[in-house]
């Protein structure tokens, strides 16, 4: 491979749009030449060459091609939630940088609510869960080698609950122990000034991100009279301008989320030019929108503001990301953003309930990279048929099919009356509870199909590994397997609960019979129940261990206990139920009587279908 960087001289056949990050690959006999005008272009050309290699070791083949390539969007990034539980190790952070750079992303944005270290705000960061300034500087230097700029996002208006929970800062909150700073509090701006002054010294890039999204508390506390008189939009935008003015001495371009301002397009147009020049509006929406994404984008582009789009990989609060929603959202939001003149894409991953696993996210991250680099509408089918080979080195197609199987399971749950969507809530709900039984009526008909898709995914991953023991990114394959097992347990839990209820009801109905056969049947039905309950306790126990292993591959121990306790409580719940049924078995053996199912918490059996 010959690498040629022509920075001081015109590059042959380079158009203006190619110069910054574009490259040319030329195939000559058994060699490739990569030519670029910049170090970035040369770097991205080499990443494409790596993707032309198929197989490993002596079985590797370098495919040749003549390629002219350049990005559709200037800024191509990933927003990573570092505030709702998982805090990656520095080593995994570096892996994230290397990986996103290999797929030609050039922005990494870390979302901080309370986990960045500020020397002037000691109460801010939790012990064990704080990203230190030393770590941040090391990551910034590391990322620069891969042409990745780090943009720290520190929430500067809302999403500050963890700080505002401290008594010292409670006067700054719009509502007691709430999430939003009260605009009328002068020390609120001082807090923002102090945080971002420290950030600017740590992160030397041209951007800072002030967040300012989901300010739902605004107008419900200290600013109620002001909002009642003026409206949410004017009060919000006035304080947003004050934040930007306060941070102007830092000489950085300031990103802000567009979800509040977008509802006041006329006010956005009236914002002063100084504000517009100093900011970038980041329009975000995470679901498919059949009528298009213009309502999220045009309030800012029509006001002649620089705008980025932020789709999402739909990983939050789910046992595995819902890529049915994610792929379409990423594809269309990015494509329509290109059409409307946005300059960047910031694909997002969120950890809302603190349970998400980073190695589940690569599928959506890589498609986001494809959509941002690709001019026009990125192809979902092409991505789905190339992901496994490109990312994992799987030439069987099994990994691609495993992802599709989990998407199918998600879709079945989404289309059910429950619209469960493979959520953590359904995974954890007690199937014997009133709420669990209500949900059971809505999912019984589709449980078998959900489980078959999940189990097929597990099988496909195993077959791919058997075919090639040297697959790459095996931690991500472990996470895929775990996601499928968690999805499968959702179905098993409801199925087993119905079987237990039916068996106990049968035994209870036979309790007064004097026929020897009936009493033997009652005994047999009771004998089967502890084993069914044990199926659930053992499955949750296994997944607990697999989950802990997956977590510690990427994250610090911080917050892990919070998630493992849910497994422990659930395991204990089912173990206690085994003990209760064992006691009933002894009661039956001693007195030939058993209590009604309600005394054990066992629900009524499902209705019989004919």
């Amino acid at each position: 491979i010959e690498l040629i960087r022509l920075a001081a001289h015109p590059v042959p056949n380079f158009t203006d749009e190619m110069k910054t990050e574009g490259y040319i690959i030329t195939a000559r006999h058994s060699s490739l030449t990569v030519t670029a005008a910049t170090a970035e272009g040369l770097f991205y050309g080499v990443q494409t060459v790596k993707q032309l290699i198929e197989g490993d070791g002596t079985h590797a083949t370098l495919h040749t091609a003549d390629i002219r390539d350049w990005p559709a969007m200037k800024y191509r990034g990933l927003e990573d939630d570092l505030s709702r539980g998982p805090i990656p190790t520095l080593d995994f952070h570096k892996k994230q940088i290397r990986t996103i750079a290999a797929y030609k992303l050039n922005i990494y944005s870390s979302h901080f609510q309370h986990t960045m270290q500020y020397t002037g705000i000691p109460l801010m960061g939790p012990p064990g869960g704080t990203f230190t300034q030393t770590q941040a500087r090391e990551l910034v230097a590391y990322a620069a080698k891969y042409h990745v700029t780090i943009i720290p996002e520190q929430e500067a208006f809302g999403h500050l609950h963890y700080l505002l929970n401290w008594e010292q800062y409670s006067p700054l909150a719009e509502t007691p122990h709430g999430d939003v700073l009260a605009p009328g509090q002068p020390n609120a701006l001082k807090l923002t000034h102090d945080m971002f002054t420290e950030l600017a010294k740590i992160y030397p890039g041209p951007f800072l991100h002030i967040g300012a999204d989901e300010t739902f508390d605004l107008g419900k506390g200290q600013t109620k009279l002001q909002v009642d008189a003026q409206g949410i939009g004017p009060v919000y935008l006035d304080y947003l301008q004050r934040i930007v003015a306060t941070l102007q001495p830092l000489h950085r371009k300031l990103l802000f989320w567009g979800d509040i301002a977008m509802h006041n397009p006329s006010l956005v147009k009236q914002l002063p030019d100084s504000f517009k020049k100093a900011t970038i509006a980041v329009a975000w929406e995470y679901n498919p929108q059949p009528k298009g994404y213009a309502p999220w984008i045009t309030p800012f582009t029509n006001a002649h503001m620089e705008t980025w789009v932020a789709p999402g990989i739909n990983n939050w609060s789910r046992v595995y990301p819902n890529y049915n929603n994610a792929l379409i959202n990423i594809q269309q939001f990015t494509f329509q953003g290109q059409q409307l003149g946005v300059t960047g894409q910031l694909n997002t991953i969120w950890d809302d309930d603190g349970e998400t696993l980073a190695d589940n996210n690569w599928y959506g991250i890589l498609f986001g990279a494809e959509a941002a680099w690709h001019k026009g509408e990125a192809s979902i089918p092409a991505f789905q048929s190339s992901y496994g080979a490109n990312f994992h080195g799987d030439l069987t197609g099994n990994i691609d099919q495993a992802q599709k199987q989990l998407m199918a399971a998600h879709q079945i749950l989404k289309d059910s009356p429950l619209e469960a969507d493979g959520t953590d809530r359904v995974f954890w709900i007690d199937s014997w509870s009133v709420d669990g039984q209500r949900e059971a009526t809505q999912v019984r008909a589709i449980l078998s199909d959900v489980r078959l898709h999940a189990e097929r995914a597990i099988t496909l991953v195993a077959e791919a590994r058997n075919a090639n023991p040297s697959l790459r990114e095996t931690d991500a394959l472990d996470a895929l397997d775990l996601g499928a097992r968690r999805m499968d347990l959702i179905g098993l839990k409801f199925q087993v609960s119905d079987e237990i209820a039916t068996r106990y009801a049968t035994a209870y109905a036979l309790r007064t019979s004097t026929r020897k056969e009936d009493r033997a049947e009652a005994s047999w039905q009771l004998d089967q129940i502890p084993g069914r309950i044990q199926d659930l306790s053992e499955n949750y126990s296994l997944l607990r261990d697999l989950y802990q292993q997956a977590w510690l591959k990427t994250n610090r121990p911080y917050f892990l206990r919070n998630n493992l306790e849910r497994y422990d409580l659930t395991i204990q719940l089912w173990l206690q139920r085994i003990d209760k049924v064992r006691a009933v078995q002894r009661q039956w053996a001693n007195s030939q009587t058993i209590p009604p199912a309600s005394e054990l918490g066992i629900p009524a059996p499902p209705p019989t279908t004919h």
Side-chain angles (χ1 to χ4, degrees), residues 184-449:
Q185 285 285 344
N187 282 337
L189 279 176
K190 181 181 183 303
L191 173 67
T192 298
H193 170 272
D194 291 348
M195 289 190 296
F196 280 85
T197 298
E198 288 200 46
L199 278 182
K201 295 176 181 177
I202 302 163
Y203 297 91
F207 306 108
L208 295 170
H209 194 330
I210 62 175
D213 60 312
E214 296 183 334
T215 52
F216 301 135
D217 291 359
L218 192 62
K220 300 183 182 301
Q222 295 195 46
T223 61
K224 185 178 188 310
L225 294 178
Q226 185 182 1
V227 168
D228 287 348
Q230 300 177 25
I232 284 284
V235 174
Y236 172 87
L237 287 170
D238 174 71
Y239 190 64
L240 190 64
Q241 291 179 74
R242 290 163 63 192
I243 293 173
V244 171
T246 297
L247 301 182
Q248 280 308 287
L250 300 178
H251 303 292
R252 306 294 176 87
K253 196 92 165 182
L254 302 175
L255 283 68
F256 71 94
W257 298 116
D259 59 310
I260 307 298
M262 64 174 280
H263 297 294
N264 298 272
S266 61
L267 294 179
V268 171
K269 278 189 175 181
Q270 296 170 27
L271 289 168
D273 289 341
S274 58
F275 177 89
K276 295 176 182 178
K277 291 177 181 177
T279 60
I280 297 173
V282 185
W284 65 268
E285 169 56 29
Y286 305 141
N287 290 302
Q289 294 295 331
K291 295 183 179 179
Y293 292 90
W296 285 265
I297 301 170
T298 55
F300 306 107
T301 54
N302 288 347
H304 306 292
M305 295 180 65
E306 184 173 4
T307 307
W308 295 2
V309 293
I313 73 164
N314 269 257
N315 67 309
W316 45 89
S317 305
R318 292 175 170 89
V319 300
Y320 195 76
N322 182 353
Y323 287 123
N324 301 291
N325 285 354
L327 297 186
I328 295 173
N329 170 240
I330 293 167
Q331 177 200 56
Q332 291 302 311
F333 203 5
T334 306
F335 171 50
Q336 292 173 33
Q338 291 181 23
Q339 291 180 312
L340 292 169
V342 307
T343 58
Q345 178 230 64
L346 194 59
N347 198 13
T348 61
I349 54 180
W350 301 108
D351 304 327
D352 285 33
D353 64 6
E355 292 185 33
T356 59
L357 295 171
D359 273 318
N360 286 340
N361 300 333
W362 293 116
Y363 199 64
I365 292 171
L366 267 58
F367 185 65
E370 163 65 11
W373 183 274
H374 186 99
K375 187 173 184 177
E377 185 178 273
S379 170
I380 292 175
F383 171 79
Q384 290 182 299
S385 63
S386 61
Y387 167 83
N390 195 287
F391 193 58
H392 294 288
D394 171 40
L395 303 183
T396 67
N398 285 354
I399 300 303
D400 294 328
Q401 290 303 314
Q403 292 283 4
K404 288 182 179 180
Q405 290 294 326
L406 273 186
M407 289 174 66
H410 261 296
Q411 195 61 49
I412 292 170
L413 280 167
K414 179 68 174 175
D415 292 342
S416 72
L418 180 60
E419 297 184 351
D421 192 16
T423 59
D424 286 334
R425 178 184 59 78
V426 182
F427 179 77
W428 290 119
I429 196 167
D430 177 10
S431 52
W432 287 15
S433 69
V434 173
D435 287 341
Q437 282 297 291
R438 184 185 305 115
E439 296 193 356
T441 64
Q442 298 173 307
V443 296
R444 281 192 179 101
I446 51 94
L447 293 175
S448 178
D449 286 344

Side-chain angles (χ1 to χ4, degrees), residues 499-514:
E499 292 169 11
I500 291 169
T502 299
R503 289 184 182 281
Y504 197 89
T506 300
Y508 191 76
L510 296 173
R511 74 192 188 283
T512 59
S513 174
T514 58

Side-chain angles (χ1 to χ4, degrees), residues 320-610:
Y320 195 76
N322 182 353
Y323 287 123
N324 301 291
N325 285 354
L327 297 186
I328 295 173
N329 170 240
I330 293 167
Q331 177 200 56
Q332 291 302 311
F333 203 5
T334 306
F335 171 50
Q336 292 173 33
Q338 291 181 23
Q339 291 180 312
L340 292 169
V342 307
T343 58
Q345 178 230 64
L346 194 59
N347 198 13
T348 61
I349 54 180
W350 301 108
D351 304 327
D352 285 33
D353 64 6
E355 292 185 33
T356 59
L357 295 171
D359 273 318
N360 286 340
N361 300 333
W362 293 116
Y363 199 64
I365 292 171
L366 267 58
F367 185 65
E370 163 65 11
W373 183 274
H374 186 99
K375 187 173 184 177
E377 185 178 273
S379 170
I380 292 175
F383 171 79
Q384 290 182 299
S385 63
S386 61
Y387 167 83
N390 195 287
F391 193 58
H392 294 288
D394 171 40
L395 303 183
T396 67
N398 285 354
I399 300 303
D400 294 328
Q401 290 303 314
Q403 292 283 4
K404 288 182 179 180
Q405 290 294 326
L406 273 186
M407 289 174 66
H410 261 296
Q411 195 61 49
I412 292 170
L413 280 167
K414 179 68 174 175
D415 292 342
S416 72
L418 180 60
E419 297 184 351
D421 192 16
T423 59
D424 286 334
R425 178 184 59 78
V426 182
F427 179 77
W428 290 119
I429 196 167
D430 177 10
S431 52
W432 287 15
S433 69
V434 173
D435 287 341
Q437 282 297 291
R438 184 185 305 115
E439 296 193 356
T441 64
Q442 298 173 307
V443 296
R444 281 192 179 101
I446 51 94
L447 293 175
S448 178
D449 286 344
V450 169
R451 294 194 65 199
L452 288 172
H453 283 296
E455 290 165 19
R456 182 61 183 149
I458 297 169
T459 301
L460 286 163
V461 172
E463 290 175 350
R465 285 176 142 157
N466 290 335
N468 181 4
S470 300
L471 290 177
R472 300 189 296 271
E473 302 296 344
T474 56
D475 289 350
L477 295 179
D478 291 341
L480 171 57
D481 177 88
L482 175 57
R485 291 177 186 276
R486 294 185 77 197
M487 187 77 76
D488 188 67
L489 185 51
I490 288 175
L492 179 65
K493 173 177 61 177
F494 286 108
Q495 289 177 330
V496 166
S497 293
D498 282 350
E499 292 169 11
I500 291 169
T502 299
R503 289 184 182 281
Y504 197 89
T506 300
Y508 191 76
L510 296 173
R511 74 192 188 283
T512 59
S513 174
T514 58
R515 295 179 66 242
K516 182 179 179 180
E517 296 85 347
D518 289 344
R519 304 190 76 76
E521 176 68 14
S523 295
W524 183 81
Q525 295 288 358
L526 290 175
D527 288 344
Q528 297 303 303
I529 293 174
R532 296 295 187 273
I533 300 176
Q534 190 172 342
D535 288 341
L536 298 183
S537 67
E538 289 180 353
N539 269 276
Y540 275 105
S541 181
L542 171 63
L543 295 189
R544 179 199 187 279
D545 292 344
L546 294 175
Y547 180 87
Q548 182 176 18
Q549 293 167 20
W551 178 282
L552 293 174
K553 288 176 182 177
T554 60
N555 298 319
R556 308 179 197 182
Y558 170 78
F559 207 83
L560 174 59
R561 174 74 178 272
N562 192 69
N563 293 331
L564 294 183
E565 288 292 341
R566 299 206 68 165
Y567 281 98
D568 293 339
L569 286 170
T570 302
I571 294 165
Q572 286 297 319
L573 176 67
W574 292 109
L575 289 176
Q576 289 168 4
R577 286 170 173 170
I578 292 175
D579 291 342
K580 289 182 179 180
V581 175
R582 294 293 189 201
V584 168
Q585 289 178 295
R586 292 191 295 272
Q587 178 179 331
W588 174 255
N590 293 330
S591 66
Q592 298 290 287
T593 62
I594 57 174
S598 58
E599 288 190 17
L600 282 76
I602 297 175
T608 303
T609 57
H610 299 283

